[in-house]
Amino acid sequence: MEQQLLGLFQQTQDTNEAPRRAAEAQLESLYANSGFPVALTNIACAQELPLPSRQSALTTLKRFVLRCWSDQYEDFQGPLLNPEIKQHLRPKLLVLATDDQRKVRGIAAAILGKIATSDYPEEWPELLENLLTFINGGNDAATNGALHVLNDVLDEGLGEDQFFSMAKQIVETLYKVATDEQRSFSVRSLSVCTFKSCVDTLGMMRGSHGTEIETFAQEAFNLWASFMTSVLEAVLSSTSDENAKGLVTLKIQVIRTIMQIRQHFPKLFEQHIEKMFGATWADMARSKDLYVDEFVHDAAEGRLVDLDSLPYSLDLYVLEQLDFVQSCLGHRIVKENIERAGFAPGGASPFSQMVYTTIALSQIAGEDSTMWEIDLNVFLSEETAISANYTPRTASGDLIMKLGELFPVQTVESLFDHTQRIFASAENTGLKESVLHLWDQLLNEYAEMGRPIADGIATSLLGYIVAAIGSSTEQQQFLRARGYSVAATLTKAMYTTIQDKVVELMEQSIRASTGDPSVIVQITALRTFQKYSDSVPREFLLPLQPNVIAAIRTFLAGKEDDDPEDSQDVLTELVETIKCVTTINYAAILDDSLRIGELLFSIGQNGIGNYHLLSIIRETFDNITEGAPDIYVPVCNKLMPIITQMMDVDANGVENPLNGLATEILETILQNGSSPLPQGLVATCMPRICRILLTSSESELVQSGCGVMKEIVRLDCAQLLGWRDASGKSGLEISLFIIDRLLRPEFSEAAAIEVGALAAEIVDKAGDQIGPVLPDLLRAVASRLLTATLPPFIQSLILVFARLVLKQANDVVNFLAGLMLGNRNGLEVVMSSWLANTSYFSGYEEIRQNVMALAHIYNLQDPRLAQIIVPGDLVIPTSTRIMTRSRAKQTPDQYTMIPVPVKIIKLLVQELGGSSEVNSTKFFNSTAADFEDDDEEGWEDVDNQLNIPGMSREELLALGASGRTSRQLDDATYNTLASFFKEVSSKNIGDFQSIYNTLKPEEQHQLSLLR
């Protein structure tokens, strides 16, 4: 078979499609042949064969293993491979995983890692011993492959017994390899990386074997600590040769491993924190010059990894150093050492040196500056912190904010000292921009926290900012842009101190936005009004509002030739600025000279697929209609012609590209409307909304259209009921047609997600007119629940019944009990779906209605409900193996089965538990000491009170009002729920005492808090 396979591999490389596909099909047909994997392995082991043939064999074998080795694999298709053949293949694959050829070794190691997840330890108990033998006695190639497999095994998770039996041997073997200077840096680094996986495994097992794990971790860390410290202390004089790059790789793995030890075993780390912090800080101070030379003055390529996927470029090492230093600063020992050394300026203290190092590492990298000049979007994504590109510049900003948090006065004084020295000397422009960049970060943080800086420093700093703004060369464009940015941030933080200069600063920003030759400066100057509008009194902003809008128009006019696809971040920032500027005076939307509505729609037309951009446009209209209710009717009159134009189809029946945006904005406007709506608005909107809901299948468009109709019913059902379309059909009749279409099983659940809310609103507001068709409507909703799978869609349908239950619970239950949906009873269908999805409900009002409806249903004490059995509590599986994601997928959840009344009580206790005033008061009135883990006692970076800038505890309590995990019930609903439990308990309604005895201890405890 081997010769046949070699021929097929060659044919799969044929440039002609027919023979290539034929060869691939023939390979597929061999999967059922038990000799197929053996032949593939034989080819891979034949070192005399060309490398491409061996690779092809292993690649094919990898696909075979995923499909046929174990039925635990997600890609398993079968047939399942014979156990005897598996036994024959495992040792051969282990040899291949230690082959001298890296490409062979890499694929074989990946195959073995996958096999180990299913076979170890039950079917392959000797695997770990075999791997350790290769690691101990093999050459670098063999050790490399064995380490990769061991890493996969550790990452996938071992049973506790298996890990404990081998842990000491594994850790000592890895230490031996890591400290062997005769080994390559690559193998030593991989060994440290594998030790990091051991630390993760120990951390996961710590909860169930605390003392044993702590003892073993202490021994392991004591063994490794001096070596890791010595690696951190090793001097890095260059990064030009392979040895230097290898040392960087080793340093990165060591520092990452230490971070994992700190995370899982902070007490153990504390014993060595002084030395390890000192070594890292000293090396960072030394490395900064190398980094600046390579990545700032030059444009070295960064974020590089080797063939083992281990990073080796200096920028990544500096990044790890910055993160490590920041993470240690809050510890008592480090903080006390810094304070003991003092805060002498001019680099005379370690603290001053740290601040200067942060400035140096915060400079714009050469590669970044080139990219920013080419692509304004990249510049903005970095400036607005939405880029996933975490760089030393970003980390330096985080570090200065951490220093400012721990040493607020000293950080400001030290940063200002270095600012004076940098601007007074002939320092390069990059350092000036860098120090102002850190001021930007620090001042913004201080402003959010309400923490001022000294007036004298603020005034002097403004002088340096003005100097930066006054720079004029092309090479100074980033410094100039930073000057405008910091001016706005300083205004935000210290307005009262510099208020006499603020109007002039704002006027300079407007002039720069249209007159500066650099687009980077122009866009930055415009963005400053996002801060000015929130910091400066309205009377000073009002005269400038038209000028800012005009400047945005001018900027856009200069970008007309640009491809909109290449300007999305630019457009987003412009809309964000418009949103902020309109808050100065909402009535500006009515100004014909400004034409803000048209401006927003014109920007939206260039960002049809940009959800973030369109959401900010919606927010702008939302702010206007919510913030200025006194001009709601004029705003509607102003915007409706624009909106309806966008919602119309052209003469050829083609929709306007802005139809979706216009419909969403119409929904937003109506959400902020009052009852009744302006006369004629329904007649204007409904023909267009009907066209959407009766013809479109586009999810977001249908959702918005349904939302518009729901708001019309909510605010002015009478106007809808009185409206008729061109054919004479009534508003109610058309509404029912629409609901019928959206409830059809073939219609997308995502698109119809609002249909339940629409139906509930019509049932609630249409009164007697809905009566004759109500049974048919409820039958349609219940039928759709049979096939519904999307939780938000299910919630929408359930709330139709919930709102009716609040008015006539008994009638609803009787109706459903008499309804047959196929071979299932309607009451069983609705209650099963309702109770299974209650925990996923979202929305403040929706959760309130749901809670109260369930209480009503329980109080009916209807025996038909007790006969319906539904899933109850999750059954937690008992296993000594660490539960990884892949194992979790292989083990479906199992539940106890309980009657509906018991499930209702459990769900209502859950709601009570998430909203208990007793619990929330206890938590928010406690200090950090009440919750402090003994392992964290040396860490002082957690303040004794919640310290989220600009937010009170009451505001924090209100966060997540539409979510599940952090919301609170409103007082009325909470009190209703508390009264419900007190009543059913005291009167034993529905045999509550028996149900109470079946509750879990934590559920019983929650109810005891009500007494």
Side-chain angles (χ1 to χ4, degrees), residues 89-90 93-95 97 107-117 124 127 131 149 152-153:
L89 293 178
R90 289 188 197 104
L93 286 170
L94 190 55
V95 172
I107 304 173
I111 295 172
L112 270 184
K114 186 63 180 180
I115 290 173
T117 64
W124 198 2
L127 170 62
L131 289 174
V149 178
D152 287 342
V153 173

Side-chain angles (χ1 to χ4, degrees), residues 62 115 203 295 450 479 563 604 625 662 664 792 859:
K62 183 178 179 181
I115 290 173
F295 289 91
L479 174 61
D563 186 345
T625 51
E664 290 174 1
N859 279 333

